[in-house]
Amino acid sequence: MESSPCPLDLQYAGQIAALLAPPLPESSKEYFDDIIRRRDSHQIEVRNGKYGKGVYANVNFGEDELILKDQMLVASQHSHNKVDCLVCSYCFRFIASVELQIGRKLYLQSLGLSVKHECDIETLDKESGDEYENDPMDVQISSRSNNMEGSSSPSRKGTDIPGEVIASLMNGNLTLPYSDRFPLPPVFSCPGGCEEEHYCSKACAEADWYSSHSLLCTGSKSDSLRREGLVKFMEHANSTNDIFILAAKVIASTMLRYRKLKEESLQTVHNAAVNGTHECWFSLLVEAWRPVSMGFKKRWWECVARPDDVNISDEASFRTEIRDLAHESLQLLRAAIFDVECGPLFSLDVYGHIIGMFELNNLDLVVASPVEDYFIFIDDLPTSVKLEAEKLARPFLDALGDSYQACCEGSAFFPLQSCMNHSCCPNAKAFKRDEDKDGQATIIAIRPISRGEEITISYVDEELPYNERRALLADYGFQCQCARCVAEGIKF
C-alpha cells in the first residue's frame, strides 16, 4: 500500500509511535485491576495467558450465573435505529413512555423520515430547560400526517392511525391500558442544546457531556464553525459508516481527559513553573490515551474482512479505498475539533487503529424494547380483560407491523469483555436478562466454571460447521485451537 495521504503521520511520527506502542505488562495489569476494583468485580481478573490477555475466574461460577456487567468505554446507537428507538445517549435505556415510543415511531415512519430529519419534530421544554416532565417531546403534526402516505415499509400500516391520535400519544394526552406497568425514565435534554441527543437523567446528560459530547455537540452552545464542521462529519459518517462516530467519540474523550489532566497539573505551582514543557504535556496525552491503548491491534483497512464480491486480485485496491474513506472522515473531523496540543490523535495512523479496535473487539449494543414487552403483556392477559385492552392497543400494534419488536441497536467497546478470548466450546456468553435495561455488556456462565479457569465466549455462531467457523474467525486474524476445533480439524 502506498504511503499515507495524511501529512500528520509524518509530522507526528515519533509521538504516534509512542501512542501506538504496546502497553507495558505492569501498566496493563494496573489498568485492569483498577477497573475491576471500581466496578466491584473481584470475582474475575485479567491476566496474560497462552493467547495474550484473558479473563479468569477468581471464584466458582454456576450455570446461568452472572459473571460480569461491563460498562462501555465508548458506544453509539446506530443512526438508522434512532428512528425506531428513543434511548438515553449515554446508558441507552429507553426513555419517556411507551406511548411516546409508539407515537414517535409511527410519526417518523409515516413521513418516511431518516434520522437526519428528526429536527422536523419540534420539542418543547415545559419546565426548567433540562427536563420534559408533562408533555415530553411535544410534536406539532401537520394535517398531511393524517393521511400517513409516506410509510417507509409496506408492513407498517400507518394509514390506520389518524395524525391527531398519534399527537395525543406523543403529548401524553392518550394513555394506553396497562402502560403504567412499564414506567420509563423522563427525558432530559442535551446541555448544549442539540436535538440529536437525549438522556434518562441529568447525571447521564452531564456524564456524556464531560466524557465526549461537549466537543461533538451541534447545539446552539457550540460555535458556528465547529457546528458546521461537525454536521458535515456526521452526515459523512451516516452516509458511509457510522463506525466513524465511535472513533470521533474516542478522540473527543481522549482530548477531554488530556485537558483535565493538564488543568490538574497546572494547579500545582511546581509543575506550572518548571514542567510546563511540550514533553510534559505530551506525557499527559499518553496518560489520557491509556484506556484506548489497551484495545487496539491493527489499522482498520488492514483487518477489515474482504467482502465476498471483491476479487482477491483487487484486495490491495479495496484496502486503499477503505483507507482513503477513513482519511476523508478524519479530514472532516479535524476541520471541526482539531487541537494542536492533541495533534497526533488526528493522524490517519491513530485514526485507523481506533477504528480497527472496533472492527476486532466491538460488541453489539442491544437493549430490549419496552414496546415489545408491552404488547406481549397485553397478549398474555386473561381473556376477561384482554379483549377490552386490545380495543385500544391492537390498532397501534397493527400499525407498527414488525417494527414493534425493534430494540436499541448499536456498537460499543467494553474494556473487560474485549479481553475475553474466543472458544468454539465457550463456557460463557453475552446475554441480556429481563432486568438488564441498559447498554452494559452482561456475561453469563453457560456451564459451571471453576476458580482459576479462563472465561471464554464465542466470537461466531458456534453451531456452524468447522470450516465455516474457521473462515469467519480468519477475519479476526487467528485460527481457533480450542479442543473442539482440534478434534474436528483432524477429520479434514
Side-chain angles (χ1 to χ4, degrees):
M1 185 177 291
E2 61 192 51
S3 60
S4 171
C6 179
L8 297 187
D9 284 348
L10 180 60
Q11 180 181 344
Y12 293 109
Q15 294 174 329
I16 292 169
L19 289 174
L20 299 181
L24 296 173
E26 54 269 27
S27 176
S28 180
K29 175 175 172 52
E30 179 185 5
Y31 172 74
F32 288 110
D33 285 351
D34 183 59
I35 290 180
I36 289 170
R37 177 185 56 78
R38 286 188 283 110
R39 297 183 186 173
D40 196 24
S41 300
H42 300 288
Q43 65 273 22
I44 64 168
E45 67 173 315
V46 176
R47 66 172 189 257
N48 286 329
K50 183 178 180 180
Y51 301 109
K53 290 195 300 287
V55 178
Y56 293 81
N58 277 338
V59 298
N60 295 325
F61 289 102
E63 184 177 353
D64 295 329
E65 187 174 349
L66 174 67
I67 296 173
L68 168 69
K69 288 200 70 173
D70 195 11
Q71 185 175 347
M72 67 286 289
L73 177 65
V74 63
S76 181
Q77 183 183 10
H78 289 318
S79 300
H80 64 82
N81 184 248
K82 291 185 177 182
V83 172
D84 284 325
C85 304
L86 177 64
V87 300
C88 174
S89 297
Y90 186 71
C91 74
F92 303 95
R93 291 173 61 92
F94 279 78
I95 53 180
S97 66
V98 166
E99 287 86 356
L100 178 59
Q101 292 284 344
I102 294 173
R104 175 182 176 275
K105 187 191 301 250
L106 287 174
Y107 176 60
L108 292 175
Q109 291 174 355
S110 72
L111 299 179
L113 296 180
S114 64
V115 65
K116 66 181 179 182
H117 293 130
E118 282 192 62
C119 57
D120 293 338
I121 299 175
E122 181 181 351
T123 59
L124 302 179
D125 184 349
K126 301 299 182 182
E127 295 289 335
S128 65
D130 290 324
E131 181 178 355
Y132 301 96
E133 292 184 344
N134 299 320
D135 298 309
M137 301 186 70
D138 191 11
V139 176
Q140 307 301 315
I141 303 180
S142 65
S143 59
R144 68 191 175 104
S145 65
N146 292 336
N147 201 6
M148 296 290 198
E149 288 183 355
S151 180
S152 58
S153 169
S155 67
R156 292 163 181 164
K157 306 173 184 177
T159 52
D160 296 337
I161 308 295
E164 60 268 19
V165 175
I166 293 178
S168 294
L169 270 180
M170 298 181 70
N171 295 336
N173 295 326
L174 175 60
T175 301
L176 295 177
Y178 300 101
S179 64
D180 58 344
R181 304 285 185 94
F182 301 87
L184 299 177
V187 181
F188 285 75
S189 59
C190 165
C194 77
E195 299 289 337
E196 289 78 20
E197 311 300 338
H198 305 90
Y199 301 94
C200 68
S201 65
K202 186 177 180 180
C204 274
E206 290 181 347
D208 196 36
W209 182 259
Y210 291 114
S211 64
S212 66
H213 188 59
S214 59
L215 289 180
L216 302 175
C217 181
T218 57
S220 58
K221 294 184 181 179
S222 299
D223 67 76
S224 58
L225 288 178
R226 176 189 292 179
R227 187 162 60 248
E228 181 180 346
L230 285 170
V231 168
K232 291 179 180 178
F233 168 79
M234 295 295 181
E235 287 177 346
H236 178 268
N238 289 330
S239 65
T240 56
N241 195 326
D242 60 11
I243 201 172
F244 296 138
I245 296 175
L246 280 166
K249 286 189 172 187
V250 169
I251 290 177
S253 63
T254 303
M255 290 171 64
L256 290 172
R257 281 195 297 271
Y258 163 76
R259 292 175 184 179
K260 183 177 180 181
L261 289 170
K262 181 178 179 181
E263 181 181 355
E264 292 172 350
S265 181
L266 287 172
Q267 289 174 357
T268 303
V269 175
H270 176 74
N271 282 344
V274 179
N275 293 327
T277 64
H278 180 74
E279 291 75 14
C280 171
W281 301 144
F282 178 69
S283 70
L284 297 182
L285 183 62
V286 172
E287 178 62 24
W289 173 255
R290 187 184 182 201
V292 190
S293 72
M294 302 295 167
F296 62 79
K297 297 179 179 69
K298 295 181 179 180
R299 300 174 186 88
W300 181 43
W301 47 89
E302 294 172 348
C303 64
V304 66
R306 175 175 56 84
D308 293 337
D309 60 351
V310 174
N311 193 285
I312 192 169
S313 62
D314 298 324
E315 182 167 355
S317 176
F318 162 73
R319 298 198 179 280
T320 298
E321 289 177 8
I322 292 294
R323 184 204 62 184
D324 291 346
L325 180 64
H327 185 221
E328 184 179 351
S329 169
L330 177 62
Q331 287 177 302
L332 294 170
L333 182 64
R334 189 163 60 229
I337 65 169
F338 181 76
D339 180 343
V340 67
E341 292 188 20
C342 299
L345 299 180
F346 294 88
S347 68
L348 185 57
D349 201 2
V350 168
Y351 200 58
H353 276 85
I354 293 172
I355 305 171
M357 177 177 73
F358 296 118
E359 187 70 30
L360 293 175
N361 295 298
N362 74 303
L363 186 70
D364 288 340
L365 175 71
V366 178
V367 183
S369 170
V371 173
E372 180 181 16
D373 292 341
Y374 170 75
F375 285 117
I376 291 174
F377 175 85
I378 294 296
D379 191 53
D380 289 340
L381 285 171
T383 304
S384 57
V385 293
K386 176 180 178 179
L387 294 178
E388 189 65 27
E390 279 193 329
K391 287 181 182 179
L392 187 54
R394 171 60 68 174
F396 296 108
L397 177 59
D398 291 340
L400 289 171
D402 291 341
S403 73
Y404 88 95
Q405 302 175 80
C407 57
C408 171
E409 297 178 339
S411 292
F413 179 81
F414 300 91
L416 295 178
Q417 177 273 334
S418 68
C419 294
M420 291 184 174
N421 286 315
H422 164 84
S423 173
C424 293
C425 46
N427 54 25
K429 66 178 179 178
F431 178 78
K432 287 295 184 73
R433 306 162 300 173
D434 289 343
E435 62 265 35
D436 299 318
K437 303 295 185 182
D438 58 20
Q440 295 188 61
T442 306
I443 308 298
I444 305 292
I446 58 177
R447 62 172 174 79
I449 300 174
S450 301
R451 180 178 181 180
E453 185 179 352
E454 183 176 8
I455 299 169
T456 57
I457 58 177
S458 180
Y459 297 174
V460 300
D461 181 359
E462 62 266 32
E463 299 302 319
L464 292 172
Y466 170 77
N467 279 340
E468 292 184 36
R469 298 198 313 272
R470 182 184 177 91
L472 290 172
L473 290 170
D475 293 340
Y476 290 89
F478 69 91
Q479 293 184 5
C480 183
Q481 296 296 319
C482 71
R484 179 184 173 191
C485 282
V486 170
E488 293 180 357
I490 295 174
K491 302 175 183 178
F492 289 87

